[in-house]
Amino acid sequence: MGKKGWATIYSFHTMKNMTTLGEGGMIATDDLELAAYARSVRMYGSGVEAWGTSNVMTKVQAAVGLVQLSKLDSFIAGRRRVAQERNRLLQGLPGVTLPHEPADCEHSYYLYTLTLKDDWAGEKRNQLIKMMDQDYGVGCVVANPPAYLARRILAENFGKTTPLSEAYAAKMISISLHPSMTSDDNKYIAAAFITCTQKL
């Protein structure tokens, strides 16, 4: 399951490597007390006398999830194929650090995230995203900056900042990637990105 530590949490949001028709998720744990708590708070918390909400998937969502799970290995293999080809296409591009994959791990490439040099952080990175979209029709996102930067209520109540996370968020960019992308799609995206960086 990939459990490390107390629990591992998986998201099945529609943007993730597998989905359950929008929202959904799973917790893997071998702590029986935590498992009982999680099962209860997903249904208003009555079983453990704690606050909870209604966070249960429908049977249709679960059925879709089971089908998606049976295809997950092929989805990840497709993402890895596209990402590895893109890494070759962008290798050595000045000002750009490609995704890192430790030797003992296999990256699932839920996102294809690059880090830009410090000089391109913030406004220049935003300009790059805009050029990719407007000039080439390629979507890019910032996934994800510290939540308190985008939510006033969090900023007002969080009580501290995370300078390293903020600095990293200002210079990261995630470029569209999908397991069904063709080599031609990938070459187009890489060429567009190279051209846009040269215009910065």
Side-chain angles (χ1 to χ4, degrees):
M1 293 293 299
K3 179 193 172 302
K4 291 187 176 181
W6 188 34
T8 301
I9 300 172
Y10 299 86
S11 171
F12 303 145
H13 182 270
T14 189
M15 290 179 56
K16 300 299 172 70
N17 290 3
M18 63 166 280
T19 184
T20 52
L21 297 177
E23 295 288 352
M26 177 176 71
I27 299 172
T29 184
D30 59 3
D31 183 315
L32 297 179
E33 188 176 333
L34 173 61
Y37 177 82
R39 285 188 185 98
S40 181
V41 295
R42 74 179 176 186
M43 199 58 188
Y44 301 111
S46 60
V48 291
E49 293 302 323
W51 287 107
T53 58
S54 178
N55 293 303
V56 291
M57 290 193 303
T58 65
K59 289 183 179 180
V60 172
Q61 286 177 294
V64 169
L66 288 173
V67 172
Q68 290 266 301
L69 186 60
S70 72
K71 298 178 178 182
L72 183 58
D73 287 346
S74 67
F75 293 163
I76 292 174
R79 287 180 174 277
R80 289 180 56 76
R81 172 189 56 78
V82 174
Q84 289 166 354
E85 179 185 48
R86 190 173 296 168
N87 285 343
R88 289 190 294 275
L89 293 168
L90 298 177
Q91 186 67 44
L93 182 62
V96 176
T97 302
L98 301 178
H100 175 66
E101 183 173 331
D104 62 339
C105 298
E106 281 198 5
H107 202 313
S108 65
Y109 291 101
Y110 151 57
L111 294 170
Y112 185 82
T113 302
L114 305 172
T115 308
L116 306 175
K117 65 180 181 177
D118 291 344
D119 292 352
W120 292 351
E123 188 51 45
K124 281 197 172 182
R125 186 273 317 275
N126 296 342
Q127 182 183 346
L128 181 59
I129 291 172
K130 189 174 180 181
M131 281 193 290
M132 287 288 285
D133 178 39
Q134 292 183 349
D135 298 349
Y136 298 98
V138 177
C140 300
V141 297
V142 178
N144 291 309
Y148 63 83
L149 292 178
R151 298 285 308 276
R152 180 186 52 80
I153 194 166
L154 292 176
E156 291 173 355
N157 293 283
F158 185 49
K160 57 184 173 181
T161 59
T162 56
L164 291 177
S165 295
E166 287 186 27
Y168 181 75
K171 59 184 182 176
M172 69 180 188
I173 181 172
S174 297
I175 307 172
S176 296
L177 184 144
H178 192 274
S180 65
M181 280 182 173
T182 66
S183 186
D184 285 344
D185 293 334
N186 216 8
K187 287 174 183 173
Y188 174 83
I189 291 168
F193 187 72
I194 291 167
T195 302
C196 288
T197 61
Q198 290 169 344
K199 290 179 181 178
L200 288 179

